[in-house]
Amino acid sequence: EAGVAQSPRYKIIEKRQSVAFWCNPISGHATLYWYQQILGQGPKLLIQFQNNGVVDDSQLPKDRFSAERLKGVDSTLKIQPAKLEDSAVYLCASSSQGGTIDTQYFGPGTRLTVL
Amino acid sequence: AQRVTQPEKLLSVFKGAPVELKCNYSYSGSPELFWYVQYSRQRLQLLLRHISRESIKGFTADLNKGETSFHLKKPFAQEEDSAMYYCAHGGEFSGGYNKLIFGAGTRLAVHP
C-alpha cells in the first residue's frame, strides 16, 4: 500500500511569513496526526483528527497554527505568522482505527526553516 | 504529567556487542509502550509494542512496572541496527483517544 505522503519536503521562509503543509494519509485510515519535531527532541503531537473531526489539539498554538482535514482524507497544517522557534520537522501520520492505540504510519516529514 | 525519558542521547557499540537502550516512563495507569525507529533517510516506523511480546529484528523489550521501564535489548548488535530509536507511551487519554508521548530518542551507532 502507498505510504503517507507529505509536501513540500523542505521549506525556508522568513519570520512573520505564512506557510502551509499538506498530508495525504494511507487510504482508508480514519485517524490523522500532525507532529512537530524540534531538533534533538522526540515528536510532539500538535493535532489529531478522527475522520474530519478534531479529537485533540491541546498542544496546537492556536494563535498562529491551524489545521483542517476536509472530507476526512487530506489535511493541511498552516502557520501564520511563523516565528523562529517554529523551525522543526513537521510529521504527518495516520492509523486505521480511532479510540485505541494502533500502529501509526509516518510520512517523510517537512523540514521548515524560519530565518 | 505523563513523561517518557530516554537518558542517553547516543549509544555507541561495536558489532556483536549487546545493546540496551533505556526508557523510563511516568504513568499511574496501565501503560501502552512502543519503540519506534528511524533509519537514515527513512521514515519513522514502529519497531515493537509491549503488548505483542514479540521480537523484531532480534530486539526485545520487557515492561517492568515496578521500575517503570521499557528498555530495548539486543544480544548482538549489527551495523544495520544503527538508527535513531524512540520510546513512546500511549496510555494518556485525550478527547477519548489515546495519544502517543515520545521520548527524546537515542541514537545507536554500531561500529564494525
Side-chain angles (χ1 to χ4, degrees):
Chain A
E1 61 184 4
V4 176
Q6 289 186 248
S7 67
R9 293 295 310 277
Y10 305 91
K11 191 73 177 179
I12 300 173
I13 61 173
E14 295 189 351
K15 60 183 179 183
R16 292 188 289 274
Q17 285 187 323
S18 301
V19 65
F21 312 126
W22 173 82
C23 172
N24 180 241
I26 291 173
S27 178
H29 277 193
T31 315
L32 186 147
Y33 314 80
W34 282 102
Y35 289 88
Q36 179 192 57
Q37 186 173 19
I38 293 172
L39 187 64
Q41 300 181 19
K44 181 184 81 172
L45 181 69
L46 292 176
I47 189 167
Q48 178 177 341
F49 291 94
Q50 181 69 16
N51 296 307
N52 60 350
V54 175
V55 298
D56 185 352
D57 63 358
S58 58
Q59 298 200 84
L60 187 75
K62 298 180 186 65
D63 57 335
R64 299 184 299 107
F65 285 64
S66 65
E68 60 181 6
R69 189 182 184 196
L70 298 176
K71 301 180 181 179
V73 182
D74 293 4
S75 178
T76 56
L77 176 70
K78 297 178 182 178
I79 308 175
Q80 181 179 11
K83 293 185 175 182
L84 296 177
E85 57 261 36
D86 298 333
S87 293
V89 175
Y90 290 84
L91 296 168
C92 180
S94 69
S95 65
S96 61
Q97 302 171 22
T100 58
I101 278 287
D102 60 348
T103 300
Q104 293 188 22
Y105 295 87
F106 285 82
T110 297
R111 183 176 297 278
L112 174 66
T113 302
V114 182
L115 303 175
Chain B
Q2 184 184 185
R3 184 177 297 177
V4 176
T5 303
Q6 294 181 252
E8 303 142 327
K9 287 191 179 296
L10 172 66
L11 183 63
S12 187
V13 301
F14 287 103
K15 177 182 173 182
V19 168
E20 182 178 67
L21 298 166
K22 291 183 168 52
C23 172
N24 288 89
Y25 66 93
S26 61
Y27 184 65
S28 57
S30 296
E32 292 268 2
L33 289 155
F34 307 81
W35 278 98
Y36 278 78
V37 61
Q38 188 167 24
Y39 301 102
S40 179
R41 296 187 177 86
Q42 293 188 28
R43 305 172 182 209
L44 190 61
Q45 58 186 289
L46 179 67
L47 179 64
L48 56 79
R49 51 196 302 168
H50 92 274
I51 198 169
S52 302
R53 297 181 179 275
E54 57 195 343
S55 173
I56 304 294
K57 298 183 179 182
F59 284 97
T60 58
D62 292 320
L63 175 61
N64 186 323
K65 291 186 179 180
E67 296 182 357
T68 60
S69 68
F70 188 57
H71 302 329
L72 184 68
K73 300 177 183 179
K74 185 170 183 177
F76 308 103
Q78 303 298 315
E79 289 181 67
E80 55 265 31
D81 296 328
S82 294
M84 197 73 187
Y85 291 81
Y86 294 94
C87 182
H89 179 215
E92 180 173 314
F93 281 86
S94 178
Y97 297 88
N98 293 77
K99 60 188 286 186
L100 279 182
I101 305 296
F102 284 87
T106 297
R107 179 168 299 283
L108 174 64
V110 182
H111 304 285

